[in-house]
Amino acid sequence: MIEQPPDGVGPVTDAAEPSDASSSQVARSMSYMAVGQVVGQFSWFGSLIVLGILLDPRAFGTVAAGLVLINAALPLLGAGTAGTLVATRNLASGEIWSSIRLNLLIASVLVFVLVGFAGEIVGLVAEGGDPSVLRWLSLAVLFHALTITPLALLKKTMRFGKHTLADVGAYTGAGVLAIVTALAGGGVWALVVRLVMYQALLAAIAIVFSRR
């Protein structure tokens, strides 16, 4: 359970909200995001290519169905809350924590469904697959819920450089961990590590950056 901190304590305060940004600041911020996307995607897909060399092709088939379900679940999180945080002019710490609690509640319900009915789901969409893969992949949903609020706060306060660093750090860290897992003989679990750790690292880095 996440407890609301005392008044004036939270990931971001009203004092951190910037004044109207100049056109040059906006352009610079957008350039950070563009460069970050290129670097991050290069790292992300580069790790996938390496895993394609190291792993049995059947490992990708085992995870594919789970990825489809997880990617379908992720858009259900943060629907409306992220935009509200960015648009609200005077944001109180209570509103921030309410957003976190709501996203975690929705994520918990989704994880409960995916874990509790993993056998039935896999039997329908990937007969012969391993239900435990879907169960562990569902952790990505929970971690994703933790990324929504801090990333929204970084956008609100125009800290796009830190937003980009969070993305690149998560992409790179998850890719490295996945490759290490594959080299250690982890097989299909290297792909699970890649997705789950991306969301976990993104949440951790974004939370740290949003509190500064």
Side-chain angles (χ1 to χ4, degrees):
M1 175 178 174
I2 298 176
E3 297 181 353
Q4 182 175 326
D7 291 340
V9 179
V12 68
T13 63
D14 292 340
E17 187 172 345
S19 58
D20 294 338
S22 66
S23 58
S24 62
Q25 289 175 315
V26 173
R28 186 165 58 250
S29 297
M30 295 306 294
S31 68
Y32 286 149
M33 295 289 287
V35 172
Q37 282 295 315
V38 172
V39 175
Q41 291 299 317
F42 179 82
S43 172
W44 188 242
F45 287 105
S47 68
L48 188 61
I49 292 172
V50 174
L51 291 174
I53 297 171
L54 296 174
L55 299 178
D56 187 321
R58 289 175 294 183
F60 290 86
T62 303
V63 174
L67 287 176
V68 171
L69 292 169
I70 297 301
N71 288 330
L74 294 185
L76 298 176
L77 297 170
T81 58
T84 299
L85 290 175
V86 174
T88 302
R89 185 170 182 80
N90 296 312
L91 190 62
S93 60
E95 294 174 284
I96 295 172
W97 286 92
S98 293
S99 171
I100 294 173
R101 285 193 291 266
L102 176 59
N103 289 324
L104 283 176
L105 176 61
I106 297 173
S108 297
V109 172
L110 292 172
V111 170
F112 176 80
V113 172
L114 291 172
V115 171
F117 298 94
E120 291 78 2
I121 294 172
V122 171
L124 287 173
V125 301
E127 188 175 354
D130 186 354
S132 62
V133 170
L134 179 58
R135 292 189 180 102
W136 283 101
L137 279 174
S138 68
L139 288 175
V141 176
L142 195 60
F143 287 128
H144 179 72
L146 293 172
T147 72
I148 295 169
T149 299
L151 289 179
L153 294 176
L154 290 177
K155 291 177 181 178
K156 178 180 177 63
T157 53
M158 300 291 289
R159 288 177 288 175
F160 292 109
K162 289 188 175 182
H163 191 302
T164 298
L165 286 176
D167 277 332
V168 173
Y171 280 132
T172 303
V176 170
L177 289 172
I179 291 171
V180 170
T181 302
L183 290 172
V188 66
W189 297 105
L191 296 170
V192 176
V193 165
R194 183 171 177 267
L195 179 64
V196 172
M197 290 308 300
Y198 164 70
Q199 295 292 346
L201 289 171
L202 182 60
I205 299 171
I207 288 170
V208 170
F209 283 167
S210 69
R211 295 181 66 87
R212 292 181 176 179

